[in-house]
Amino acid sequence: MSTSPLVSLIVLIVHDDQRIGATLRSCIDQSMHDVEIICVAGSMPADPALAERKAADPRVRIARSEDSSASGLRRTGVSAATAPYVLFLEPGDELISGAAEDAHKKATQGNADIVGFADATGAQDGVVSERMQKARNTVLHEENIVRGLFPANAGSHGRVTGFLFRTELLRAVYTALPAGSSDDAVEVFLACAAARTYAPLGESAHLRLSGRGSAEVAHSSAALSQDMGSLDAVTAIQPIVREWARHSPNPEPLLDGYEALRLSGVARALARVHRVPEARQMQEIKPLRARIDEIDIIAAASTFAPETLPTLTRLGTSIELGRKPVRNVLLRTNILTTGGVSNVLRTQAQVFLDAGYGVTIATHLHGSDESLVPEGATLVAVSGSSRRDRLARWVEVCREHEVDVVIDHRVLYSRDWPGYALAARASGAATIGWLHNFAGRPTYNGTDLHTLLHDNLPALAQLIVLSPLDVAFWKLRGIPRTAFLPNPPSPMLLGSAGDVAPKPAPVGRRLEVVWWGRLEEHTKKVTHLVEVARSLKRLGVDFRLRIIGPDWTDMSAAQLSTLVTRRGLDDVVDVIGPRHGDDLLEAIDSSDIFINTSIIEGYLLTIPEAQSRGLPVVMYDLPWLLPVQDNPGVIAVRQGDANALAAAVAALAADPDRYSALSRASIAAAERATSYDFAALYQQLVSGTLPAEYSPEPTLEDARVSLDLLVFYAERNAEQSVEAAKASANGRARATSASRSIGQRVEGKLTGTGHRVLALAPWLRPLARRVKHALLRS
């Protein structure tokens, strides 16, 4: 070795460990000879291999530390180091022969303060694999080091091994640290905050880690105590971080990184509580709650350990509707626009305002139309750079507006709603979740949203769905506080009440068929409209079909018009884009039949809207829909059969008496749709006094129908996946695949083929067992 080593390899020994021999061998066998190997222990290790190595190689030396904690060992090692760079190892860690040389070369060539072994493998606690995913494989400078390695809303680095540090950098960190035990992650964070340059070592493997999360082995009985110590260490450096941030021209990455470090530590402790038996969880969480504010615990769970949110729900105090008078209601949505959910929310807001409640509307996305806010309601934005900031803002809104009940319209459209429900609970407000689609929607979409919903719906004081069958589904899944309510009527529906005469039958003239809504293929199957028109033309019907609505993410008016042209239907199909107000009303009133091709919906307000203008409705069967229950103004054909839909339209147009009867029935059905006393229903909802008729108990027939529908949607999802794979393999455009007649592929009514649905949707097993037991009893 030259007069001074280039790299100090510091091996941390908390207690006897038989793996020390392998670690020492990997250090001694380094291609760079100019290393020193410092074994740091709180007491003289008993392992004879260490003494033998020390005697055989003068580069090996032993340093004793009065502080036997891992942090104390690291401090002692850095103090004893004589090389300009240090690298920490634990017993069982192994370096490849060129690791020290390659890391030193990377550091000196780039003048790097930190070199990251981003390819380190072998940890069993998931920390290193997390780092591999988060750390950027690029050179970082100044505040971008913390931004890259400790990003907001992402995990933090849990161990100090796997980095080469400039020795003076660590000495400065240890000088700044308060007295007492520190933590791996704290030291790495402060080193990153103080460093000027970080460089990754590269793609080839240089280090195999032992699999321990820390030099201090965390046995199950002491694990939570260790987590609390880590949290205390993170809290202890808060004054340092604030002081450094005060002198930084760009403090946000440092402050955001510190929050990520702190909350990921909270999440680690919470995850440990989550894994212990339920009987012990309340006791185990007490030290965490004694140190950390409940909102921060919720933010940590939401950001880093969402699987623990159900545990937080169970370990908290639920807020039942009706336990206190309700004066102020908060309605939550993504954005306030003219869309379907926004229309429901706006009507709800007006009903609550008219009943004397205070109303706040909270949105999460930019771009809300403030002109749509009902007079007397308050619109607030819930924003922030991190989930913690947004949750804190949410609690601030709840408290500032003295919110008693939250009605959350985002439950089916976001994955973060459980955290907001728990945060509202922490501020004293109960949350009602509102599902705007049929229970089979996640199955049709092929997502795991059913699992998230099932696990977290207990955080709600009440779940509101849109049909009795939805109530049955969720009760069968173990969510007893479920009820259905109709959607409030739209302005068109209200404006038509009692003011429309039955339509004259289309005799001796062209049949006018209309569809309106958003041009969405996934759920509304707008390309089926073209197939219906194609079939009507083959049947010799004299007709025109007008398709009205705005573009959507998977279909546009231009794409649909191209399909119309390709099918040779330009003379009978008009794709006319969006229409509003009087223009839309004129198009509806000049039509004879409203058709609908949706494969799945929650309420489908266009049905009562069409019926309010006297139009009979011909549609694909959606048997759970509340607007079609006991509705003789509706003709339903089997799902996906465009030819059957066209045949039903043609038959109705050819039968004037039947047409007139359906037109009268439609008007009567629309009047029923506006007959609900929504003021009374909403007051009953927030006070927990909804009549039992809105929360029926599930029947065996409900279970059978639910399973049939879920089989159907699981198979439709499988079909779509196969088609997408074929289209990708063949280089075909998605739009071309979507234009094919799905009616040619869809089977008839499905039965409860249990094995099929369970293979496609395994989360249904508990429901299937209940149905099986019920069948055995029947």
Side-chain angles (χ1 to χ4, degrees):
M1 185 171 70
S2 62
T3 54
S4 60
L6 300 177
V7 176
S8 297
L9 304 176
I10 302 175
V11 182
L12 309 173
I13 308 172
V14 174
H15 52 74
D16 282 352
D17 196 313
Q18 299 303 313
R19 297 176 299 173
I20 186 68
T23 302
L24 287 175
R25 279 194 302 274
S26 74
C27 294
I28 292 169
D29 293 342
Q30 287 297 295
S31 60
M32 171 185 281
H33 188 72
D34 294 336
V35 298
E36 64 176 350
I37 304 161
I38 306 173
C39 299
V40 189
S43 60
M44 187 62 70
D47 190 346
L50 180 56
E52 292 172 6
R53 291 292 183 181
K54 180 178 182 298
D57 193 322
R59 296 178 301 170
V60 178
R61 58 194 178 98
I62 299 173
R64 300 185 63 178
S65 174
E66 293 183 3
D67 183 351
S68 60
S69 69
S71 174
L73 300 183
R74 289 192 292 271
R75 287 175 183 262
T76 298
V78 169
S79 179
T82 61
Y85 294 95
V86 299
L87 192 155
F88 296 107
L89 296 164
E90 299 173 10
D93 294 346
E94 296 182 44
L95 294 167
I96 69 162
S97 62
E101 183 176 358
D102 291 347
H104 180 266
K105 182 178 180 181
K106 175 68 71 171
T108 54
Q109 286 181 344
N111 194 28
D113 298 304
I114 304 173
V115 174
F117 289 76
D119 55 352
T121 60
Q124 298 171 357
D125 60 2
V127 175
V128 171
S129 62
E130 183 176 337
R131 181 172 70 223
M132 291 169 63
Q133 297 169 13
K134 304 297 181 183
R136 299 183 178 180
N137 190 26
T138 186
V139 174
L140 302 171
H141 300 286
E142 305 291 346
E143 67 269 11
N144 286 326
I145 301 174
V146 170
R147 179 183 281 122
L149 299 181
F150 290 84
N153 295 333
S156 63
H157 302 294
R159 51 192 300 178
V160 75
T161 51
F163 292 99
L164 178 81
F165 296 95
R166 193 185 296 275
T167 306
E168 290 307 314
L169 175 71
L170 284 186
R171 286 176 177 160
V173 166
Y174 287 130
T175 299
L177 278 170
S181 180
S182 182
D183 180 75
D184 287 42
V186 163
E187 294 165 17
V188 174
F189 176 77
L190 289 180
C192 289
R196 292 181 177 274
T197 302
Y198 162 86
L201 190 50
E203 296 182 359
S204 58
H206 288 83
L207 172 63
R208 173 167 168 64
L209 297 175
S210 63
R212 289 182 180 171
S214 167
E216 294 170 294
V217 180
H219 297 292
S220 58
S221 60
L224 192 59
S225 176
Q226 179 177 319
D227 289 337
M228 294 303 101
S230 296
L231 285 175
D232 291 342
V234 173
T235 302
I237 67 166
Q238 190 176 66
I240 301 172
V241 172
R242 287 178 175 173
E243 180 65 17
W244 289 7
R246 192 169 68 84
H247 294 285
S248 171
N250 183 17
E252 283 79 12
L254 178 61
L255 296 173
D256 289 347
Y258 175 75
E259 277 302 297
L261 172 68
R262 187 174 71 91
L263 294 183
S264 62
V266 173
R268 210 157 28 242
L270 187 58
R272 214 178 294 277
V273 172
H274 174 70
R275 290 192 292 268
V276 304
E278 287 188 16
R280 290 172 43 201
Q281 287 176 348
M282 184 62 78
Q283 184 63 32
E284 295 287 346
I285 203 173
K286 287 181 179 179
L288 184 62
R289 282 179 164 160
R291 289 170 167 82
I292 306 296
D293 180 81
E294 188 71 12
I295 299 305
D296 284 346
I297 293 176
I298 296 168
S302 300
T303 306
F304 301 111
E307 73 279 2
T308 67
L309 287 168
T311 299
L312 281 182
T313 297
R314 190 172 56 255
L315 298 181
T317 302
S318 62
I319 299 178
E320 303 292 335
L321 294 173
R323 95 183 156 82
K324 66 176 182 179
V326 176
R327 300 181 306 276
N328 299 298
V329 177
L330 187 152
L331 307 177
R332 179 173 180 248
T333 187
N334 279 328
I335 188 171
L336 193 63
T337 64
T338 56
V341 173
S342 289
N343 287 338
V344 172
L345 182 146
R346 289 163 56 204
T347 304
Q348 284 181 348
Q350 191 61 61
V351 171
F352 279 118
L353 287 167
D354 292 344
Y357 292 88
V359 175
T360 303
I361 300 172
T363 62
H364 290 259
L365 301 178
H366 296 294
S368 289
D369 187 344
E370 295 185 15
S371 68
L372 299 176
V373 179
E375 184 177 353
T378 302
L379 180 67
V380 298
V382 179
S383 59
S385 61
S386 67
R387 286 188 181 92
R388 194 270 173 196
D389 289 345
R390 291 189 289 274
L391 283 170
R393 171 61 178 153
W394 172 249
V395 171
E396 180 183 288
V397 168
C398 288
R399 291 173 177 167
E400 178 182 338
H401 295 270
E402 299 180 344
V403 172
D404 301 301
V405 172
V406 174
I407 298 179
D408 194 340
H409 291 276
R410 298 178 72 241
V411 172
L412 199 60
Y413 307 112
S414 74
R415 304 184 74 88
D416 63 359
W417 67 266
Y420 286 87
L422 291 177
R425 187 177 76 175
S427 68
T431 297
I432 299 168
W434 211 284
L435 297 187
H436 285 274
N437 213 303
F438 178 56
R441 179 65 182 270
T443 304
Y444 176 58
N445 289 352
T447 70
D448 65 345
L449 192 57
H450 264 304
T451 298
L452 183 146
L453 288 168
H454 174 266
D455 291 348
N456 290 283
L457 285 175
L460 301 175
Q462 179 73 58
L463 176 66
I464 293 296
V465 294
L466 299 177
S467 78
L469 189 60
D470 283 293
V471 173
F473 175 88
W474 288 111
K475 285 192 172 184
L476 285 168
R477 292 220 69 203
I479 309 299
R481 295 192 301 272
T482 305
F484 77 91
L485 285 177
N487 269 345
S490 66
M492 180 193 300
L493 191 53
L494 289 173
S496 302
D499 191 35
V500 174
K503 300 280 291 186
V507 177
R509 61 176 175 82
R510 181 175 66 182
L511 174 68
E512 296 287 347
V513 184
V514 69
W515 178 96
W516 72 93
R518 62 177 183 267
L519 298 181
E520 181 185 1
E521 177 63 17
H522 181 59
T523 63
K524 297 187 180 297
K525 298 299 178 187
V526 291
T527 58
H528 284 219
L529 297 167
V530 180
E531 300 304 320
V532 172
R534 192 181 188 189
S535 184
L536 283 171
K537 192 171 185 179
R538 285 198 299 264
L539 291 171
V541 178
D542 180 17
F543 77 99
R544 177 178 62 161
L545 168 62
R546 283 177 288 182
I547 302 173
I548 302 171
D551 294 350
W552 204 245
T553 55
D554 62 351
M555 184 58 63
S556 66
Q559 288 175 299
L560 204 56
S561 295
T562 299
L563 179 59
V564 169
T565 301
R566 189 181 301 129
R567 292 287 191 265
L569 300 171
D570 286 316
D571 59 327
V572 293
V573 178
D574 292 337
V575 182
I576 60 178
R579 293 290 185 272
H580 304 287
D582 290 340
D583 289 339
L584 176 59
L585 205 58
E586 187 281 327
I588 296 170
D589 286 343
S590 61
S591 299
D592 301 301
I593 294 174
F594 172 70
I595 64 172
N596 183 72
T597 52
S598 293
I599 190 171
I600 191 166
E601 294 282 358
Y603 193 79
L604 200 56
L605 199 56
T606 51
I607 290 176
E609 286 178 341
Q611 292 192 301
S612 73
R613 309 307 295 182
L615 269 64
V617 175
V618 185
M619 62 183 290
Y620 287 159
D621 191 21
L622 300 173
W624 65 88
L625 282 186
L626 201 58
V628 306
Q629 305 300 315
D630 301 319
N631 188 341
V634 173
I635 298 173
V637 305
R638 67 181 182 180
Q639 182 59 240
D641 193 337
N643 292 328
L645 195 60
V649 170
L652 180 60
D655 188 340
D657 291 339
R658 188 183 182 210
Y659 180 91
S660 297
L662 261 69
S663 179
R664 290 192 298 271
S666 284
I667 293 172
E671 290 174 352
R672 288 196 301 272
T674 60
S675 65
Y676 294 100
D677 185 346
F678 284 95
L681 285 175
Y682 289 168
Q683 289 183 59
Q684 290 166 345
L685 170 62
V686 298
S687 63
T689 58
L690 270 178
E693 66 188 270
Y694 292 99
S695 185
E697 292 305 310
T699 66
L700 182 58
E701 181 60 20
D702 290 331
R704 287 191 178 110
V705 173
S706 295
L707 281 173
D708 280 352
L709 288 167
L710 291 168
V711 170
F712 174 77
Y713 289 119
E715 293 188 346
R716 297 296 77 73
N717 174 262
E719 284 181 357
Q720 291 178 107
S721 299
V722 169
E723 289 175 6
K726 287 180 179 178
S728 176
N730 296 332
R732 295 195 303 264
R734 225 176 251 271
T736 302
S737 176
S739 70
R740 295 173 55 202
S741 173
I742 298 180
Q744 299 170 359
R745 300 190 303 271
V746 177
E747 305 153 8
K749 185 177 179 181
L750 295 167
T751 57
T753 50
H755 291 295
R756 173 69 167 156
V757 74
L758 292 178
L760 292 167
W763 53 265
L764 284 170
R765 292 185 186 278
L767 186 150
R769 283 195 291 269
R770 289 185 180 132
V771 174
K772 180 179 178 181
H773 292 158
L775 287 169
L776 290 174
R777 292 193 301 268
S778 63

